[in-house]
Amino acid sequence: MPRYVIGDVQGCFEQLQQLLVLIDFKSDRDQLWFCGDLIARGPQSLQTLRFVRDLADNAITVLGNHDLNFLASLHGYGRVSAADQLQALQQAADLHQLAEWLQQQPLMHFNSQEQLLLVHAGLAPCWTLPTALSAAAEVSQSLTQNPALLFSQMYGNQPDLWQDAADEAARHRFTINACTRMRYCLADGRLELKEKGEVSANPDLIPWFEFWRHTPHPTIFFGHWAALQGRCDVEQIHALDTGCVWGNSLTAYCIESQRRYSVTGYIKQL
C-alpha cells in the first residue's frame, strides 16, 4: 500500500485532485497522510473536508493552525476573515458533522513500528518524543471532552518553553503552538512565533529542525512553512508545504519510493 504525505492543501481542492491523478491514487489501495491545514485561504475548503473525511481509513490527517482557528470560531473564539474563503463551509448543511470529524483529528500521528511522525509545524527542541506524544494526546482528549474551554485558553505566545508550562492551560497552549505554529526557536529552545520567512535576518533565530540535526529523532513530515518551498537538509526531516495556496505548488512525498510529486498551485482569479 503506497503512502503519500501531502503538504498544506488549504482548500485547494482542484490542485489536490490533479496531484492524485499524477500519483495514480487509488482510494481502495493507497493512503494519504495530510500535514494539516486542510482548509482556509483556498476556494474549496468545503469540498476538501468532505473528500478527506470520506476517504476514512485511507487518509490520516493532523490538525494545523488554520483548522484549529476555524474550530475555535464555531465555539465563539478565534476570528475567521473573508480572506479565509470559508463562507461555503460555514453555511454547509453538514457543517456540524464536518467540524465534529475535524475536531477528532490529532495534533500528531506516530507510526511506532517505522518511527514515522506526522505533524503540522514540527517537534519542539525542548521535548523528547514521548513527552511530545503525551502532550499532543492530552490536547486531543480536551478537544473531545471540553473543546470550548480549550479554545478559550488556546491563543497567546506564552509559555514559550515547555518547562515554564505551570498548569494544564499553559501545557495545552504550548503544545498547540509547537505542533501548529512553530518555525523558529531561540538558542535555548524557546519558541519564537512571529518570524515567518525562510531565512531570518536575526541570527538569534534558529529553525526548529536544526536542533534535531545531531540528535536522534524519528522521520518527521511537516508542513506549515511555505517559505521553505519544501527545502530542509536535516536528515529524515521532510518539509512538505510548498505554498499551493500562494500559487507555487502542491507536493506529495511517497514514503515507500521516497519520491516527490508536485502540481502547480492555485492561481487566484483577479
Side-chain angles (χ1 to χ4, degrees), residues 155-174:
Y155 294 95
N157 293 346
Q158 297 297 324
D160 56 6
L161 194 65
W162 176 247
Q163 290 86 331
D164 294 340
D167 55 27
E168 182 180 76
R171 289 198 308 272
H172 290 173
R173 193 179 309 112
F174 179 91

Side-chain angles (χ1 to χ4, degrees), residues 23-72:
I23 64 176
D24 191 28
F25 172 71
K26 304 297 183 186
S27 61
D28 60 347
R29 179 196 67 189
D30 308 332
Q31 190 176 61
L32 304 179
W33 291 22
F34 292 94
C35 290
D37 276 1
L38 291 175
I39 63 172
R41 291 185 173 163
Q44 294 178 299
S45 290
L46 175 59
Q47 294 91 327
T48 301
L49 266 192
R50 285 173 174 166
F51 175 77
V52 177
R53 178 201 59 184
D54 291 346
L55 287 172
D57 291 341
N58 287 83
I60 292 171
T61 188
V62 293
L63 292 169
N65 53 304
H66 286 287
D67 305 321
L68 283 170
N69 185 64
F70 170 69
L71 291 171

Side-chain angles (χ1 to χ4, degrees), residues 77-218:
Y77 304 97
R79 183 174 60 186
V80 172
S81 69
D84 289 325
Q85 299 195 72
L86 292 174
Q87 296 89 342
L89 176 57
Q90 291 170 314
Q91 298 167 11
D94 55 347
L95 170 62
H96 176 75
Q97 293 88 344
L98 290 168
E100 184 177 32
W101 173 84
L102 187 61
Q103 200 163 290
Q104 293 171 356
Q105 306 314 304
L107 288 179
M108 290 183 172
H109 169 74
F110 182 58
N111 180 317
S112 58
Q113 182 177 358
E114 299 176 75
Q115 293 289 294
L116 306 175
L117 179 68
L118 177 70
V119 63
H120 181 60
L123 185 62
C126 55
W127 271 340
T128 64
L129 178 59
T131 299
L133 294 174
S134 176
E138 186 177 281
V139 170
S140 293
Q141 184 177 36
S142 293
L143 269 172
T144 57
Q145 294 183 353
N146 199 345
L149 177 61
L150 177 73
F151 292 133
S152 73
Q153 301 171 337
M154 180 176 74
Y155 294 95
N157 293 346
Q158 297 297 324
D160 56 6
L161 194 65
W162 176 247
Q163 290 86 331
D164 294 340
D167 55 27
E168 182 180 76
R171 289 198 308 272
H172 290 173
R173 193 179 309 112
F174 179 91
T175 301
I176 289 170
N177 285 341
C179 290
T180 72
R181 297 179 59 207
M182 175 181 66
R183 293 183 179 92
Y184 288 102
C185 297
L186 301 178
D188 62 357
R190 292 181 184 273
L191 308 187
E192 200 293 323
L193 298 169
K194 296 179 181 179
E195 179 63 52
K196 298 182 179 181
E198 177 187 0
V199 178
S200 173
N202 185 344
D204 295 328
L205 299 185
I206 304 168
W208 68 266
F209 44 79
E210 288 294 341
F211 289 86
W212 297 99
R213 184 178 291 276
H214 303 296
T215 303
H217 60 267

